């Protein structure tokens, strides 16, 4: 009887092979949609993402948003509806993470990259969007959820919480010292943690103070303490710091390559032309 069951099972598996989502290849996409989107909004976002008809869709609930963000920002800020959505496309091995956003007004592309690196995400092109302008904090929940499915890998709950906390703390810091400075500071401190592996608060404080000094940024005592608390949490988690360092380097390499490209040089030239025009305008005004 046992032999017959085994033979039958083998026959079924041969006729209907099971494909794990871990078998997703470069270029494959998985989509996350907020559960409170209307059907019209869902279809519009799928079209905007360029999603294939048979794309794997993961739904993100408002309850999940509160689960991962409720400790770090006010409930009223999270709201009662899950709206923001994302598309995660598998990239080539070793390529790192890229993020582009639309209708996201608080969390920047670089903040997502930083937080996702902390969560252990790698080699993915990510597009975050919403039908209306939103803060973007909730999108990280969906991205991590989709990455777990696509990579067939469970990210520990405490690491997810830490990634969400990092994103929120960076955005809050950005409100006072600027988004670019805040993102650069967080990335720089993580790099130094990966290199030096600080053993206590004093060593961690020295790393943060030096990073702030290098960026010509002044932190309040409260901001310093919040960062010490955040990085203490990160360094005590089971995070692959070698991978974190590697992914941060890839992110920096991509920025460097962009600035050296024709497109990047064109962008810099436009900035130079704008400031040249601005200076000439100011001069003519006073003369």
């Amino acid at each position: 009887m046992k032999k017959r069951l085994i033979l039958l099972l083998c026959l079924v598996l041969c006729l209907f092979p099971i494909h794990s989502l871990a078998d997703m290849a470069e270029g494959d996409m998985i989509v996350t949609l907020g559960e409170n989107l209307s059907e019209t909004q869902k279809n519009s976002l799928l079209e905007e993402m360029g999603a294939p008809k048979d794309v794997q869709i993961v739904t993100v609930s408002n309850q999940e948003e509160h689960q991962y963000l409720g400790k770090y920002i006010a409930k009223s800020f999270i709201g009662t509806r899950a709206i923001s959505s994302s598309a995660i496309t598998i990239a080539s091995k070793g390529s790192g993470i890229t993020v582009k956003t639309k209708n996201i007004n608080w969390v920047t592309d670089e903040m997502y990259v930083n937080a996702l690196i902390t969560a252990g995400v790698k080699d993915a092109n990510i597009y975050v969007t919403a039908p209306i302008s939103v803060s973007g904090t909730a999108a990280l929940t969906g991205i991590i959820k989709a990455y777990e499915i696509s990579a067939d890998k469970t990210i520990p709950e405490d690491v997810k919480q830490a990634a969400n906390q990092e994103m929120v703390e960076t955005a809050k810091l950005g409100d006072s010292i600027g988004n670019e400075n805040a993102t650069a500071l967080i990335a720089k401190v993580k790099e130094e943690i990966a290199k030096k592996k600080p053993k206590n608060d004093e060593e961690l404080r020295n790393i943060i103070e030096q990073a702030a000094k290098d960026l010509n940024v002044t932190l309040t005592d409260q901001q310093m303490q919040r960062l010490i608390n955040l990085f203490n949490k990160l360094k005590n988690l089971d995070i692959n710091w070698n991978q974190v360092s590697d992914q941060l380097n890839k992110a920096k390499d991509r920025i460097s390559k962009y600035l050296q490209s024709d497109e990047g040089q064109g962008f810099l030239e436009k900035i130079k032309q704008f400031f040249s025009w601005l200076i000439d305008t100011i001069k003519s005004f006073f003369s």
Side-chain angles (χ1 to χ4, degrees), residues 21-30 52 55 87-91 125 150:
L21 284 168
D23 294 332
M24 289 182 74
E26 181 182 344
D28 288 347
M29 179 188 288
I30 184 167
V55 70
I88 297 89
T89 305
I90 306 301
N125 298 320
S150 65

Side-chain angles (χ1 to χ4, degrees), residues 27-52:
D28 288 347
M29 179 188 288
I30 184 167
V31 165
T32 76
L33 294 176
E35 71 172 2
N36 297 113
L37 293 168
S38 68
E39 285 304 312
T40 301
Q41 288 172 326
K42 287 178 183 177
N43 292 331
S44 177
L45 289 181
L46 287 170
E47 184 177 351
E48 180 187 316
M49 294 170 179

Side-chain angles (χ1 to χ4, degrees), residues 158-211:
D158 52 1
V159 174
K160 293 180 195 175
Q161 287 283 351
N164 278 279
Q165 183 180 354
E166 178 187 328
M167 178 187 67
V168 172
E169 291 296 342
T170 311
K172 284 181 179 178
L173 194 59
D175 289 338
S176 59
I177 69 171
N179 289 333
E180 288 185 7
N181 282 334
T183 307
L185 179 66
I186 298 297
K188 193 170 182 64
V189 173
K190 284 201 292 191
E191 277 187 301
E192 291 303 306
I193 289 175
K195 291 177 188 174
K196 298 179 179 177
K197 298 178 176 56
K199 298 178 182 65
N200 51 52
D201 281 6
E202 185 181 354
E203 292 182 3
L204 185 54
R205 181 185 289 273
N206 289 338
I207 288 174
I208 298 171
E209 285 177 346
Q210 186 59 52

Side-chain angles (χ1 to χ4, degrees), residues 2 37 52 60 68 80 83 93 101 112 119 139 142 155 174 185 187 192 203 205 233 243 258 266 271 273 283:
K2 267 186 186 177
L37 293 168
V60 181
Y68 289 108
T80 57
I83 297 293
K93 190 174 181 181
T101 58
Y112 283 119
I155 297 172
L185 179 66
E192 291 303 306
E203 292 182 3
R205 181 185 289 273
K233 178 181 284 188
Q243 181 176 303
Y258 170 75
I271 292 177
Q273 288 173 3
K283 283 180 179 177

